[in-house]
Short mmCIF file of all heavy atoms in Angstrom, two decimals:
data_model
loop_
_atom_site.label_atom_id
_atom_site.label_comp_id
_atom_site.label_asym_id
_atom_site.label_seq_id
_atom_site.Cartn_x
_atom_site.Cartn_y
_atom_site.Cartn_z
N ALA A 1 0.83 -1.21 0.00
CA ALA A 1 0.00 0.00 -0.01
C ALA A 1 0.86 1.24 -0.01
O ALA A 1 0.59 2.21 -0.76
CB ALA A 1 -0.93 -0.02 1.21
N ASP A 2 1.91 1.25 0.83
CA ASP A 2 2.78 2.45 0.90
C ASP A 2 3.51 2.66 -0.40
O ASP A 2 3.67 3.80 -0.86
CB ASP A 2 3.77 2.28 2.04
CG ASP A 2 3.14 2.33 3.43
OD1 ASP A 2 2.00 2.83 3.49
OD2 ASP A 2 3.77 1.92 4.40
N SER A 3 3.94 1.60 -1.03
CA SER A 3 4.69 1.75 -2.28
C SER A 3 3.80 2.23 -3.42
O SER A 3 4.26 2.91 -4.33
CB SER A 3 5.31 0.39 -2.69
OG SER A 3 4.33 -0.56 -3.06
N ARG A 4 2.51 1.91 -3.34
CA ARG A 4 1.54 2.35 -4.37
C ARG A 4 0.91 3.70 -4.05
O ARG A 4 0.26 4.30 -4.89
CB ARG A 4 0.44 1.33 -4.53
CG ARG A 4 0.85 0.07 -5.23
CD ARG A 4 1.17 0.39 -6.72
NE ARG A 4 1.11 -0.83 -7.49
CZ ARG A 4 0.07 -1.22 -8.21
NH1 ARG A 4 -1.02 -0.49 -8.23
NH2 ARG A 4 0.14 -2.34 -8.92
N GLY A 5 1.03 4.12 -2.79
CA GLY A 5 0.34 5.33 -2.35
C GLY A 5 -1.14 5.20 -2.26
O GLY A 5 -1.91 6.12 -2.52
N VAL A 6 -1.62 3.97 -1.83
CA VAL A 6 -3.00 3.69 -1.67
C VAL A 6 -3.20 3.18 -0.29
O VAL A 6 -2.29 2.90 0.45
CB VAL A 6 -3.53 2.69 -2.74
CG1 VAL A 6 -3.31 3.22 -4.14
CG2 VAL A 6 -2.81 1.32 -2.60
N SER A 7 -4.47 2.96 0.10
CA SER A 7 -4.76 2.42 1.44
C SER A 7 -4.53 0.93 1.48
O SER A 7 -4.58 0.22 0.48
CB SER A 7 -6.23 2.76 1.81
OG SER A 7 -7.10 1.95 1.05
N ARG A 8 -4.35 0.43 2.67
CA ARG A 8 -4.23 -1.03 2.86
C ARG A 8 -5.50 -1.74 2.45
O ARG A 8 -5.46 -2.83 1.90
CB ARG A 8 -3.92 -1.32 4.35
CG ARG A 8 -2.61 -0.80 4.86
CD ARG A 8 -2.37 -1.17 6.30
NE ARG A 8 -1.17 -0.63 6.81
CZ ARG A 8 -0.37 -1.25 7.69
NH1 ARG A 8 -0.70 -2.41 8.18
NH2 ARG A 8 0.74 -0.68 8.12
N ALA A 9 -6.68 -1.12 2.73
CA ALA A 9 -7.94 -1.74 2.39
C ALA A 9 -8.02 -1.97 0.87
O ALA A 9 -8.51 -3.03 0.43
CB ALA A 9 -9.08 -0.86 2.84
N GLN A 10 -7.55 -1.03 0.09
CA GLN A 10 -7.60 -1.20 -1.35
C GLN A 10 -6.76 -2.42 -1.80
O GLN A 10 -7.21 -3.21 -2.66
CB GLN A 10 -7.11 0.06 -2.05
CG GLN A 10 -7.99 1.28 -1.90
CD GLN A 10 -7.43 2.49 -2.57
OE1 GLN A 10 -6.88 2.45 -3.64
NE2 GLN A 10 -7.54 3.64 -1.88
N VAL A 11 -5.58 -2.54 -1.21
CA VAL A 11 -4.75 -3.67 -1.61
C VAL A 11 -5.38 -4.99 -1.23
O VAL A 11 -5.43 -5.93 -2.04
CB VAL A 11 -3.35 -3.52 -0.94
CG1 VAL A 11 -2.50 -4.77 -1.13
CG2 VAL A 11 -2.65 -2.28 -1.47
N ALA A 12 -5.86 -5.09 -0.01
CA ALA A 12 -6.43 -6.36 0.50
C ALA A 12 -7.68 -6.76 -0.28
O ALA A 12 -7.88 -7.92 -0.58
CB ALA A 12 -6.71 -6.27 1.99
N LEU A 13 -8.52 -5.77 -0.61
CA LEU A 13 -9.74 -6.07 -1.38
C LEU A 13 -9.39 -6.45 -2.81
O LEU A 13 -10.00 -7.37 -3.36
CB LEU A 13 -10.65 -4.85 -1.37
CG LEU A 13 -11.61 -4.74 -0.18
CD1 LEU A 13 -12.40 -3.42 -0.27
CD2 LEU A 13 -12.56 -5.93 -0.13
N THR A 14 -8.45 -5.76 -3.39
CA THR A 14 -8.06 -6.10 -4.75
C THR A 14 -7.54 -7.54 -4.84
O THR A 14 -7.86 -8.27 -5.77
CB THR A 14 -6.95 -5.12 -5.26
OG1 THR A 14 -7.48 -3.82 -5.30
CG2 THR A 14 -6.44 -5.55 -6.65
N TRP A 15 -6.78 -7.98 -3.82
CA TRP A 15 -6.28 -9.34 -3.81
C TRP A 15 -7.45 -10.33 -3.79
O TRP A 15 -7.44 -11.36 -4.47
CB TRP A 15 -5.34 -9.55 -2.62
CG TRP A 15 -4.80 -10.92 -2.55
CD1 TRP A 15 -3.69 -11.40 -3.18
CD2 TRP A 15 -5.41 -12.08 -1.88
NE1 TRP A 15 -3.53 -12.77 -2.92
CE2 TRP A 15 -4.56 -13.17 -2.13
CE3 TRP A 15 -6.54 -12.22 -1.09
CZ2 TRP A 15 -4.86 -14.42 -1.62
CZ3 TRP A 15 -6.81 -13.48 -0.60
CH2 TRP A 15 -5.99 -14.56 -0.84
N VAL A 16 -8.45 -10.09 -2.95
CA VAL A 16 -9.60 -11.01 -2.90
C VAL A 16 -10.32 -11.03 -4.22
O VAL A 16 -10.67 -12.10 -4.75
CB VAL A 16 -10.55 -10.57 -1.78
CG1 VAL A 16 -11.88 -11.35 -1.84
CG2 VAL A 16 -9.92 -10.80 -0.39
N SER A 17 -10.58 -9.88 -4.81
CA SER A 17 -11.40 -9.79 -6.04
C SER A 17 -10.68 -10.44 -7.23
O SER A 17 -11.39 -10.82 -8.19
CB SER A 17 -11.68 -8.35 -6.36
OG SER A 17 -12.52 -7.75 -5.39
N ARG A 18 -9.36 -10.54 -7.20
CA ARG A 18 -8.67 -11.08 -8.37
C ARG A 18 -8.85 -12.61 -8.50
O ARG A 18 -8.55 -13.16 -9.56
CB ARG A 18 -7.17 -10.71 -8.31
CG ARG A 18 -6.41 -11.44 -7.22
CD ARG A 18 -4.98 -10.86 -7.09
NE ARG A 18 -4.21 -11.03 -8.30
CZ ARG A 18 -3.52 -12.12 -8.58
NH1 ARG A 18 -3.56 -13.20 -7.79
NH2 ARG A 18 -2.82 -12.22 -9.70
N ASN A 19 -9.34 -13.27 -7.45
CA ASN A 19 -9.59 -14.71 -7.56
C ASN A 19 -10.75 -14.93 -8.54
O ASN A 19 -11.83 -14.35 -8.34
CB ASN A 19 -9.94 -15.25 -6.18
CG ASN A 19 -9.98 -16.78 -6.14
OD1 ASN A 19 -10.59 -17.41 -7.00
ND2 ASN A 19 -9.28 -17.39 -5.20
N PRO A 20 -10.56 -15.72 -9.55
CA PRO A 20 -11.61 -15.87 -10.58
C PRO A 20 -12.94 -16.44 -10.12
O PRO A 20 -13.95 -16.21 -10.79
CB PRO A 20 -10.99 -16.77 -11.64
CG PRO A 20 -9.84 -17.46 -10.93
CD PRO A 20 -9.38 -16.52 -9.88
N VAL A 21 -13.01 -17.12 -8.97
CA VAL A 21 -14.29 -17.64 -8.53
C VAL A 21 -15.08 -16.60 -7.74
O VAL A 21 -16.26 -16.78 -7.45
CB VAL A 21 -14.14 -18.92 -7.65
CG1 VAL A 21 -13.42 -20.00 -8.42
CG2 VAL A 21 -13.44 -18.61 -6.35
N VAL A 22 -14.46 -15.49 -7.38
CA VAL A 22 -15.12 -14.46 -6.56
C VAL A 22 -15.99 -13.61 -7.46
O VAL A 22 -15.51 -13.01 -8.42
CB VAL A 22 -14.08 -13.61 -5.80
CG1 VAL A 22 -14.75 -12.41 -5.20
CG2 VAL A 22 -13.38 -14.45 -4.75
N SER A 23 -17.28 -13.53 -7.11
CA SER A 23 -18.17 -12.61 -7.81
C SER A 23 -18.15 -11.24 -7.18
O SER A 23 -18.04 -10.22 -7.88
CB SER A 23 -19.60 -13.14 -7.77
OG SER A 23 -19.75 -14.32 -8.52
N ALA A 24 -18.26 -11.16 -5.84
CA ALA A 24 -18.30 -9.89 -5.18
C ALA A 24 -17.95 -10.04 -3.70
O ALA A 24 -18.68 -10.72 -2.98
CB ALA A 24 -19.71 -9.25 -5.29
N PRO A 25 -16.86 -9.42 -3.23
CA PRO A 25 -16.61 -9.43 -1.80
C PRO A 25 -17.69 -8.65 -1.07
O PRO A 25 -18.24 -7.67 -1.62
CB PRO A 25 -15.24 -8.73 -1.64
CG PRO A 25 -14.66 -8.70 -3.03
CD PRO A 25 -15.81 -8.72 -3.98
N ILE A 26 -17.99 -9.03 0.13
CA ILE A 26 -18.98 -8.34 0.95
C ILE A 26 -18.24 -7.36 1.88
O ILE A 26 -17.46 -7.79 2.73
CB ILE A 26 -19.84 -9.32 1.78
CG1 ILE A 26 -20.59 -10.24 0.79
CG2 ILE A 26 -20.79 -8.59 2.69
CD1 ILE A 26 -21.30 -11.37 1.46
N VAL A 27 -18.49 -6.08 1.65
CA VAL A 27 -17.71 -5.03 2.33
C VAL A 27 -18.58 -4.26 3.27
O VAL A 27 -19.60 -3.73 2.89
CB VAL A 27 -17.07 -4.07 1.27
CG1 VAL A 27 -16.23 -3.04 1.95
CG2 VAL A 27 -16.26 -4.85 0.24
N GLY A 28 -18.17 -4.21 4.51
CA GLY A 28 -18.84 -3.40 5.51
C GLY A 28 -18.40 -1.93 5.38
O GLY A 28 -17.21 -1.67 5.22
N VAL A 29 -19.34 -1.05 5.43
CA VAL A 29 -19.05 0.40 5.28
C VAL A 29 -19.61 1.13 6.47
O VAL A 29 -20.85 1.35 6.57
CB VAL A 29 -19.64 0.95 3.96
CG1 VAL A 29 -19.51 2.49 3.88
CG2 VAL A 29 -18.99 0.29 2.72
N GLY A 30 -18.76 1.53 7.39
CA GLY A 30 -19.17 2.28 8.54
C GLY A 30 -18.83 3.77 8.47
O GLY A 30 -19.28 4.57 9.28
N LYS A 31 -17.98 4.08 7.49
CA LYS A 31 -17.55 5.44 7.26
C LYS A 31 -17.45 5.70 5.77
O LYS A 31 -17.24 4.74 4.99
CB LYS A 31 -16.20 5.73 7.95
CG LYS A 31 -16.25 5.55 9.47
CD LYS A 31 -14.87 5.81 10.07
CE LYS A 31 -14.91 5.62 11.59
NZ LYS A 31 -13.56 5.79 12.20
N ALA A 32 -17.50 6.96 5.35
CA ALA A 32 -17.50 7.25 3.93
C ALA A 32 -16.21 6.76 3.28
O ALA A 32 -16.22 6.28 2.15
CB ALA A 32 -17.63 8.75 3.73
N ARG A 33 -15.11 6.82 4.00
CA ARG A 33 -13.82 6.41 3.42
C ARG A 33 -13.77 4.89 3.15
O ARG A 33 -13.04 4.43 2.29
CB ARG A 33 -12.64 6.84 4.29
CG ARG A 33 -12.62 6.23 5.66
CD ARG A 33 -11.38 6.74 6.43
NE ARG A 33 -11.41 6.31 7.82
CZ ARG A 33 -11.02 5.14 8.27
NH1 ARG A 33 -10.55 4.22 7.38
NH2 ARG A 33 -11.05 4.81 9.52
N HIS A 34 -14.57 4.15 3.87
CA HIS A 34 -14.61 2.70 3.64
C HIS A 34 -15.18 2.42 2.25
O HIS A 34 -14.67 1.55 1.51
CB HIS A 34 -15.49 2.00 4.70
CG HIS A 34 -14.96 2.10 6.09
ND1 HIS A 34 -15.74 1.88 7.20
CD2 HIS A 34 -13.72 2.45 6.55
CE1 HIS A 34 -15.01 2.04 8.28
NE2 HIS A 34 -13.81 2.40 7.93
#
């Protein structure tokens, strides 16, 4: 995340979504930044 200049959440979610069997990760949103 630091090397890309993005948040940790973006990196972790991108990794999950790249699995070809995944249709949609379920993401909790408690704040606008989430």
